[in-house]
Structures are given as C-alpha cells and as structure tokens.
Amino acid sequence: MSKKYNPYDNFLEVLEKAAKMLGLEQRDYIALKYPERELKVSIPVEMDDGSVRVFEGYRVQHSTSRGPCKGGIRYHQDVDIDEVKALAAWMTFKCAVVNIPYGGGKGAVKVDPRELSKNELKRLTRRYTAMILPLIGPEKDIPAPDVNTNAEIMGWIMDTYSMFKGYAVPGVVTGKPIEIGGSLGRREATGRGVMLITLEILKRLGMPVKGTTIAIQGMGNVGGAAARLLYEKGCRIIAVSDVSGAIYNDEGLNINHVLEFLDGGKRLLKDYTAENVKHMSNRDLLTCDVDVLIPAALENQITEDIARDVKARVIVEGANGPTTVGADRILEERGIKVVPDILANAGGVVVSYFEWAQNLQYLTWDEDEINRSLEKIIIRAFNEVWNAAGSKNTTLRMGAYMVALDRLVKAKKIRGIFP
Ligand code: GLU
C-alpha cells in the first residue's frame, strides 16, 4: 500500500532542495524544519438539540523569525495536524517571498461547517478562539480566513478576543467585516493576486491576455474572484468547478452569470444549466485543453497521474499545496510552467498585512491605494522569483523558495539562537 500523502513531507522536500541550491549548511536552516509551537485543543459545543459534541482544533506557529505569525483558520472535516503544520510553514515562506514582516502560522478545526447551524458555528468559533487565546494577539499571531471560513467568522473571533481583553482589538484578526476594522479590497485580494500573477506570466511567456483559455478548480473566495477578474480582462474561462463537479463551455463561460447563480456558495455547479454548457468531472477539468490551469481548491489535487495528462502550458496555484512533489517533477520535465502557491496566492495575506497596519494605526486607506500597493508588492515579488529561477536555471517554485529562504536565513542569523 502506498504511504498516506503527508503535505509536511512535501514541504520538507522542497525546503531541502532550495537549501541545497542556495549552498546553505544545515545549521543555517534546520530550525525551519520544525514548527516553533503546536497547540491541539478539544472544543466542546452545545448543539441546538441540547446534545454536546467535541471537535478537535489546532493552531500551529511555524516561525517568528521575521515577525508575528500570520495565517488563516480553516474548517474542514479532513484536516489533521500534518496538514496544519504544512500550511503554517507555507505561510512563513509566503510572507517571506513577498517580503512582509511576518512569520507563518495556521489554525484549523476538524468540522464540516455545512452540518452546523449558524448558532452552532458561532459557539464553536468562540470556544475555539478562547482555547487558542494564549497564542494569538496582534503582536504575536494574527489569524485570517481560509477554506470554509469568512468575514463573519473573523468578526466573532475579534469580538471573543476583545471580550477577554476588555476593549476592542481589531488587529487580532484580519479579513474582518469592514464595519469593525476590515480592509477594503481584502475579500477579493487573493483572487486579485492570482489575476495579477496570471497576467504577468502570460506577458513573460509572450502569450496574449485576450482570448487566453483558462480552467479554474474551485469557485470559492479565491477561484471565484480570480475568475471574475480574469474574465473582465478578456480571458476565456472555459471550465470551472466546485465540490459538486465541473462545468465546461469551449466558447467560454459567462462568469458573471455563473457567480450570480452560485450566490456565494448557496448553490452548486451540478445544478447549473446554460446553453452549450456541459458537465464534467474534476479530473476532466484538471486535464482539459487550456492555456492556463488555476487550481484554487485544496492541496494534493495535481497528483502524478494527473500531471502526466495536464494540457495547460501554465499552472497558477491559487490553492495552497495543490501539486505534489512527484507531480511537480513531471510538470517540470514536460516543460509546464508552475507559478507556486506561496507567490500566486499571496495577495490575500498582503492585504491582510494592510488591514493589520491600518488597525494598529487606527487609520483607513481607500481601495485604490490598497489595490495599487498590492500590485506593487506582487509584481516586485514575481520579478524577484523569476530572476532567482533564471539565475539557477530552475523552476519558479525553486526560485520562490530560494528568495524566501534567503530572507529567513538572514533574519535568523542576525537574531542569533537564544540563549
Ligand atoms: N488563508 C490565506 C492564505 O493561505 C490568508 C492568510 C492571511 O491573510 O493571513 O494565504
């Protein structure tokens, strides 16, 4: 039987490879192989019918070398500690590659939130927040939305933390509703980053924007926003999917119509109908004949088996860890360009950084300023990664890890090892 896929092993393998390329010694980066802190909590929740259920939750802090930990909280029935560790480590590298002053962290609760009523979800969130309270705070660890969590949930986290403190602390969490200190532009920031990166790689490869064909796996916060923004730029989005399956139209889907139908996740694509729209499987979406493939759902989607059949010329990783190490090797051999997650989906955490900075200063920035600053940071990071990859004749993933690792190792060296 094959060993269960472990995303943390995936991270370690990539880290070792990047360290070797940079000519680092073990002592320079060994600490990055281990998360600084891991907390597991049991969360009792009183259900609406009077029964009590206990959910498992985690918060992992991978690194604080470059600043407080930063990273989302996901609610998913399949999460485990290895996944959260990997996600936390990827946050460390993501923040380093775009050069914002954070380390990396991640949290999760093992739950299918669709099975909970709104009040149950609220009680779960508040109790989880209370249990990770010793770890979080604007100066040490700042959560944000991730898979199956949203602004409303961030609002409950902000309120719970504030109740314990006795005053409002907006900077404890990002991705909040605008009314309580959320930032303009945050909701679609990850998708905007994916769009900016896609346009940039098309430019580098001499491919046109207008008419470029794209398939997107996932129509959540990331995939949905990326689809809309790329559609507005004139790309032809020919396939999109959600948990229920994929839809396809080789003339291009009407993305506004699709998003309106989905209504923020209230409906599923399996029920979508429109002229010339066909339904297909998730595998068919990942291997369909397009210029650009954007996996924007979960990790471990592009496996070796899928990688052999991918027809896209470019992959832009909207999700965290969608490509396995084995698949990555195959894509490289096949000459398919992969823009790695830590760069491609960094738009969200960049605008989280802006939100936190606004909160700490009790200021509000306008949306133009936010989008302009985001673009500047993303394009600068893209150029650095492109050049790093070019200088060693390697993949963009290696380029991104080298840029990030170099920053992390320097920070560690300057600070030294305590005591
Ligand atoms: N969950 C998002 C990510 O994986 C955003 C994290 C944040 O804004 O802190 O990048």
Side-chain angles (χ1 to χ4, degrees), residues 31-59:
L32 289 166
K33 295 199 215 169
Y34 304 88
E36 288 179 14
R37 277 194 194 95
E38 293 171 42
L39 176 66
K40 180 173 160 237
V41 294
S42 302
I43 313 158
V45 177
E46 195 168 342
M47 308 303 281
D48 291 345
D49 65 4
S51 65
V52 175
R53 280 180 68 187
V54 179
F55 298 90
E56 200 166 292
Y58 316 92
R59 184 77 191 170

Side-chain angles (χ1 to χ4, degrees), residues 70-72 91 94 106 142 144-146 174 186 320 345 348-349 352:
K70 186 83 191 81
M91 285 310 301
K94 192 183 297 185
K106 202 82 171 199
I142 307 113
D146 197 76
T174 58
R186 174 62 186 87
N320 290 312
N345 71 34
V349 75
S352 274

Side-chain angles (χ1 to χ4, degrees), residues 83 116 123 148 186 213 287 303 339 344 356 373 396-397 418:
E83 182 181 339
L116 266 52
R123 289 195 288 274
N148 291 336
R186 174 62 186 87
T213 55
T287 56
T303 53
V339 188
W356 176 77
S373 307
L396 293 174
R397 186 174 324 275
F418 176 83

Side-chain angles (χ1 to χ4, degrees), residues 224-401:
R228 188 176 59 74
L229 293 166
L230 286 163
Y231 181 67
E232 282 170 7
K233 295 284 174 194
C235 296
R236 197 143 54 96
I237 319 289
I238 66 168
V240 299
S241 72
D242 66 8
V243 283
S244 73
I247 54 170
Y248 175 87
N249 179 354
D250 57 8
E251 296 293 303
L253 295 159
N254 180 338
I255 289 300
N256 293 335
H257 187 247
V258 173
L259 289 171
E260 219 170 90
F261 168 83
L262 290 174
D263 196 11
K266 290 195 191 77
R267 289 197 204 93
L268 292 170
L269 284 176
K270 71 173 171 48
D271 301 320
Y272 182 80
T273 51
E275 213 182 321
N276 297 325
V277 170
K278 293 195 275 287
H279 287 257
M280 63 187 195
S281 70
N282 190 43
R283 188 183 205 287
D284 288 344
L285 174 130
L286 293 172
T287 56
C288 74
D289 195 0
V290 278
D291 300 312
V292 182
L293 171 65
I294 304 181
L298 291 170
E299 54 274 7
N300 191 23
Q301 296 299 302
I302 304 181
T303 53
E304 293 178 35
D305 167 47
I306 302 258
R308 280 187 206 101
D309 289 342
V310 165
K311 291 181 196 67
R313 214 177 133 193
V314 179
I315 296 178
V316 178
E317 294 184 334
N320 290 312
T323 312
T324 65
V325 173
D328 224 17
R329 235 171 270 133
I330 294 168
L331 295 171
E332 185 182 357
E333 275 161 26
R334 297 189 54 216
I336 296 168
K337 277 254 179 267
V338 180
V339 188
D341 48 5
I342 59 168
L343 173 64
N345 71 34
V349 75
V350 169
V351 178
S352 274
Y353 166 50
F354 299 158
E355 179 173 331
W356 176 77
Q358 291 170 80
N359 294 157
L360 295 185
Q361 299 172 82
Y362 299 97
L363 288 174
T364 50
W365 306 354
D366 64 38
E367 197 161 355
D368 274 2
E369 190 181 347
I370 285 162
N371 289 344
R372 240 182 299 118
S373 307
L374 168 65
E375 182 163 351
K376 211 166 116 193
I377 289 182
I378 291 288
I379 300 303
R380 184 187 63 201
F382 182 93
N383 288 333
E384 285 171 342
V385 168
W386 184 270
N387 293 340
S391 73
K392 301 263 182 197
N393 196 19
T394 184
T395 60
L396 293 174
R397 186 174 324 275
M398 275 302 118
Y401 272 80

